Amino acid sequence: MPNATDRPPRLHFANPVRWLLPVVLVLFFLAVLIWLPWQARQMESSERQEQLIADTLWVEQTIRFQLGRHEEAMRTLSGEIAAGHLSPAQLHTRLVQLLQTGHEIRRVLWLTPDGAVAATSEAAGAAPAAGSGLGPASLAAADHARRARRPVYSQPEILPGGSKPGLDYHYPIYNGEHYLGSLVAHYALSTVLDELVPWWFAQDNQITLLDRDDKVLARRSAAGAGHGVYTHKRALDLPGTSVTLVTDSVKSEPRLLPNLLVGSVIALSLALLWSLLALWGHISRRLAAEGALRQQMSFRTAMENSLVTGLRARDLEGRVTYVNPAFCQIVGYPPEELVGKLPPMPYWAPEVMTEYQHRFAGVLAGNVTPQFETIFQRASGERVPVLIFEAPLVDNNGKQTGWMGSILDISDRKRIEELNRQQEQKLQTSARLATMGELASMLAHELNQPLAAISSYTTGALNVMARAEDSGQPLDCGMLKPALQQAGAQAQRAGQIIRSVHEFVKKREPERREVAVQSLLDGIEALIELQARQSYVALQTDIPAALPPVLADRVMIEQVLLNLTRNGIESMAQVPPERRLLRVRARYDAAAAQVAVEVIDQGHGIPDDVAERLFAPFFSTKAEGMGMGLSICRTAIEFHGGTLVHKPNPGGGTIFTFTLPAAGAP
């Protein structure tokens, strides 16, 4: 019997290190959790500001480069004017060409020393205007350019008769010491921003041009006003004027993590503290159990025995070098019959031997399929479907020595997939039976009419025969024939109704075939009309004759049509009788190679809160509904590669639309 000294040592809270250390670690974790988001936000903010500065410099250089191109063109033109090489027509052409080099230039003038317009880009052959149309700031810049004998820009101003600020560029023309006037190019500042600022930069920033008094000259804000968080100012280096380019990002300051997330982590950390205190009394027994476990089991044994995944290692020649117990259990062979063996392997199934040989050739060539499904044959002859994952096996020097494969027995998965398929089929059959249960009373009423008519016609025929027999006169077949014809027609009508129900509910495997939409509708038209007449609903169909057939399972799509039309009929139960119109129409979408079928009602419509869960299983707005009708409809349509959606009917009600691939579509 063990004594007290054999028991594992019990932990006491008297030793502060054992319980204080986890608490300190958790508090440290919380501190890091709060600090990291803040630090990340600061770094992101700095990166955004630096990116904005870099982009602003790039935009400023772009604007200055384009203006420099215009300055160089005016310098060349002024030299030709001073040399007298240009005729008036040629001068006008050159001015127009200069105007066409950029939309930001609105007009170009040649002013004589007395301020008269010698030539202009506005109208070819027009007489020079009496006045130049320059503002005070532009006239001052012209005088400054003449005296300084160098080009300058004027201060921004609104020209007489204009509405937006602009500025003029004055280039003085000298022939030696003789002043010939100046070339003047007028720039529209708003157009400068529109033409020279890239669209991608304008989508992220508000760009503004300010004068020396910080008055707004032009502004471009394609994505809205800036938030004032990331801004940068850059003065345009324009001689004679002061214009500042200001960028204001539309991005707001980065936020910390959502409060809910931070609060959740803090709550979990506190729960961790509580769990540490609650479980501290069990640590001694756990330590003793772990010590015993380490003594009884080795790492390799635990790994091999705990795995349910088969492991198989092969060298570069395809020779098996290792298998674990799980692999041996899958194939039914002991390790000694597998390790060291070259293909063909004993667990290869004869029916897929060609596939094995092809994959083995890939192994010898250094190429394997990373993931594939195949079949193994156990020693007992039983076939086992498996899923295989292959990956290169490398040594500690990084050299490939073979291939490592993980093998999963997917027999259960295959059985589950088959069971799911069968259950889905049963569910669809049950849905059809449930639909027919709802139609039972209407079906009885509908069959009662042809049966009553048959009874009346046959009774009348018997009476005619009895009268002929009693009177001894010959039987008049002309009187019997119409009655018997009517009785036969009514019998055919009743038989058609019964056949429609039988075809609708009988169990069968899904089978896709080419089928016409009109044929689908004809197959259940009797059932739809049963419901429609019961609710006094008019049925209207619009199926184009040239509509291509669809590739579908007839019964599944008939189930969809019946469910959708029934829902439409029921939705119009509370609307006035004159609005009870159910329409079924189809159209062909050539671009998508699909046929779209619409079921349109004029009922009460679908509220937004119901629309969000409309296709969810077991959700129903009906008191006795199972909530599976629309879910089954969507599953059936998606099984065919189509979609089922709904939208409000502009005239009131709902439009359900489903698509099916057209037959022959790629």
Side-chain angles (χ1 to χ4, degrees):
M1 180 177 180
N3 53 30
T5 59
D6 296 330
R7 298 175 183 172
R10 180 168 297 178
L11 300 178
H12 299 280
F13 292 106
N15 188 348
V17 177
R18 294 186 177 180
W19 61 269
L20 185 60
L21 181 59
V23 176
V24 172
L25 291 177
V26 172
L27 294 177
F28 176 74
F29 170 73
L30 289 175
V32 172
L33 182 68
I34 296 174
W35 177 79
L36 281 178
W38 179 85
Q39 182 66 19
R41 184 183 67 168
Q42 294 299 112
M43 293 178 62
E44 183 180 357
S45 180
S46 299
E47 291 177 358
R48 289 183 180 181
Q49 182 64 33
E50 292 174 359
Q51 183 63 42
L52 178 66
I53 294 174
D55 291 342
T56 303
L57 292 177
W58 187 86
V59 171
E60 183 268 336
Q61 292 174 3
T62 300
I63 295 175
R64 194 65 193 90
F65 174 77
Q66 183 65 13
L67 296 180
R69 289 182 54 201
H70 298 327
E71 294 171 3
E72 180 64 23
M74 293 184 66
R75 185 190 66 81
T76 302
L77 181 58
S78 65
E80 295 179 358
I81 293 174
H85 294 160
L86 300 176
S87 65
Q90 291 174 334
L91 177 58
H92 175 74
T93 300
R94 291 294 305 275
L95 292 178
V96 172
Q97 291 176 351
L98 184 61
L99 190 67
Q100 293 174 348
T101 58
H103 295 290
E104 60 274 7
I105 300 180
R106 291 304 178 87
R107 65 172 182 172
V108 183
L109 305 174
W110 174 24
L111 301 181
T112 61
D114 57 357
V117 178
T120 178
S121 61
E122 293 180 349
S132 62
L134 303 181
S138 182
L139 294 174
D143 182 66
H144 177 67
R146 180 184 61 79
R147 289 185 286 103
R149 304 189 67 169
R150 60 182 178 85
V152 295
Y153 286 87
S154 68
Q155 294 296 335
E157 63 179 343
I158 299 177
L159 292 180
S163 60
K164 295 183 179 180
L167 55 79
D168 292 335
Y169 177 70
H170 293 265
Y171 196 99
I173 305 174
Y174 279 89
N175 186 3
E177 295 298 326
H178 182 58
Y179 177 61
L180 302 179
S182 60
L183 281 176
V184 182
H186 178 71
Y187 291 90
L189 295 178
S190 59
T191 309
V192 169
L193 294 183
D194 293 339
E195 295 293 330
L196 302 184
V197 176
W199 65 267
W200 54 265
F201 188 76
Q203 287 295 324
D204 293 335
N205 302 278
Q206 172 184 280
I207 307 98
T208 308
L209 292 178
L210 303 178
D211 62 8
R212 57 188 175 186
D213 298 326
D214 290 338
K215 182 180 178 182
V216 176
L217 299 173
R219 174 169 290 165
R220 182 179 179 185
S221 52
H227 290 173
V229 178
Y230 305 104
T231 62
H232 185 65
K233 291 185 177 182
R234 183 71 179 177
L236 298 178
D237 186 16
L238 302 178
T241 186
S242 297
V243 178
T244 304
L245 177 68
V246 180
T247 55
D248 188 353
S249 176
V250 299
K251 297 180 180 178
S252 59
E253 190 173 4
R255 300 173 57 188
L256 288 172
L257 292 177
N259 295 333
L260 179 60
L261 177 60
V262 176
S264 300
V265 174
I266 294 175
L268 290 175
S269 301
L270 295 177
L272 177 62
L273 281 176
W274 178 84
S275 63
L276 288 174
L277 296 176
L279 297 176
W280 206 261
H282 303 281
I283 292 180
S284 59
R285 290 190 296 272
R286 183 178 179 85
L287 291 175
E290 289 178 353
L293 183 62
R294 283 193 298 269
Q295 294 175 2
Q296 295 175 5
M297 302 178 67
S298 66
F299 173 75
R300 182 178 179 87
T301 303
M303 179 185 67
E304 291 183 354
N305 294 340
S306 62
L307 283 178
V308 295
T309 302
L311 297 178
R312 176 191 65 187
R314 296 186 292 179
D315 59 19
L316 296 177
E317 297 179 355
R319 182 182 289 104
V320 176
T321 58
Y322 167 79
V323 291
N324 70 338
F327 181 83
C328 295
Q329 184 178 1
I330 292 174
V331 299
Y333 290 92
E336 53 270 15
E337 296 187 20
L338 301 175
V339 176
K341 186 173 180 59
L342 282 168
M345 306 305 294
Y347 50 81
W348 286 7
E351 60 268 23
V352 287
M353 188 65 68
T354 303
E355 176 187 347
Y356 294 148
Q357 295 290 354
H358 176 72
R359 296 191 187 280
F360 179 64
V363 172
L364 296 180
N367 300 316
V368 297
T369 305
Q371 175 182 343
F372 61 93
E373 291 186 12
T374 187
I375 299 176
F376 282 171
Q377 176 179 285
R378 288 178 175 166
S380 61
E382 179 185 0
R383 286 354 186 228
V384 183
V386 293
L387 178 61
I388 300 179
F389 300 88
E390 294 274 8
L393 185 63
V394 297
D395 58 16
N396 55 353
N397 296 323
K399 181 180 178 181
Q400 182 177 351
T401 60
W403 303 93
M404 174 59 73
S406 299
I407 294 87
L408 297 177
D409 183 353
I410 58 175
S411 301
D412 292 339
R413 194 186 79 179
K414 292 293 185 181
R415 283 193 293 269
I416 292 174
E417 290 176 354
E418 177 63 21
L419 180 61
N420 288 338
R421 187 190 66 80
Q422 295 176 1
Q423 292 297 332
E424 180 69 22
Q425 182 179 351
K426 291 179 180 179
L427 184 60
Q428 293 179 2
T429 303
S430 299
R432 292 197 295 273
L433 292 175
T435 301
M436 294 312 304
E438 297 177 6
L439 295 175
S441 61
M442 291 182 290
L443 183 62
H445 178 270
E446 186 69 15
L447 287 176
N448 185 56
Q449 295 180 4
L451 291 177
I454 292 173
S455 176
S456 298
Y457 289 129
T458 54
T459 300
L462 290 174
N463 291 336
V464 171
M465 294 174 65
R467 285 196 301 269
E469 183 179 355
D470 293 340
S471 62
Q473 296 178 357
L475 182 65
D476 187 0
C477 295
M479 296 180 63
L480 291 179
K481 183 176 180 180
L484 294 178
Q485 288 177 340
Q486 291 296 329
Q490 293 299 321
Q492 291 179 356
R493 177 186 174 191
Q496 177 62 34
I497 295 174
I498 297 301
R499 282 193 298 273
S500 297
V501 175
H502 179 264
E503 289 295 327
F504 182 72
V505 301
K506 70 178 182 180
K507 182 179 179 181
R508 55 186 291 281
E509 292 291 331
E511 184 179 4
R512 296 189 189 182
R513 290 185 176 180
E514 291 188 11
V515 59
V517 175
Q518 184 64 55
S519 174
L520 292 172
L521 196 59
D522 292 342
I524 57 172
E525 187 173 7
L527 302 179
I528 298 175
E529 289 180 348
L530 278 177
Q531 303 173 82
R533 282 196 295 269
Q534 185 76 10
S535 301
Y536 303 101
V537 174
L539 177 63
Q540 183 183 92
T541 61
D542 181 12
I543 311 297
L547 192 70
V550 296
L551 187 63
D553 179 86
R554 170 181 287 274
V555 173
M556 293 178 69
I557 303 306
E558 286 179 350
Q559 172 71 33
V560 172
L561 279 170
L562 192 61
N563 279 349
L564 295 180
T565 53
R566 180 183 59 188
N567 289 344
I569 291 171
E570 292 175 351
S571 70
M572 293 186 285
Q574 304 301 324
V575 301
E578 62 272 11
R579 285 181 48 84
R580 298 180 187 179
L581 173 63
L582 181 69
R583 290 182 292 163
V584 180
R585 65 187 184 189
R587 54 184 170 80
Y588 177 59
D589 185 355
Q594 290 182 331
V595 174
V597 181
E598 297 179 338
V599 179
I600 307 170
D601 64 70
Q602 298 186 148
H604 51 68
I606 301 175
D608 293 340
D609 56 339
V610 174
E612 296 176 356
R613 299 179 293 165
L614 190 61
F615 295 101
F618 307 110
F619 172 76
S620 176
T621 58
K622 304 174 185 177
E624 300 178 355
M626 295 175 57
M628 295 300 296
L630 288 177
S631 177
I632 293 175
C633 290
R634 170 169 280 187
T635 301
I637 294 301
E638 291 177 350
F639 170 78
H640 289 81
T643 58
L644 172 60
V645 297
H646 68 91
K647 64 181 180 180
N649 186 1
T654 308
I655 301 176
F656 279 88
T657 305
F658 65 87
T659 60
L660 294 172

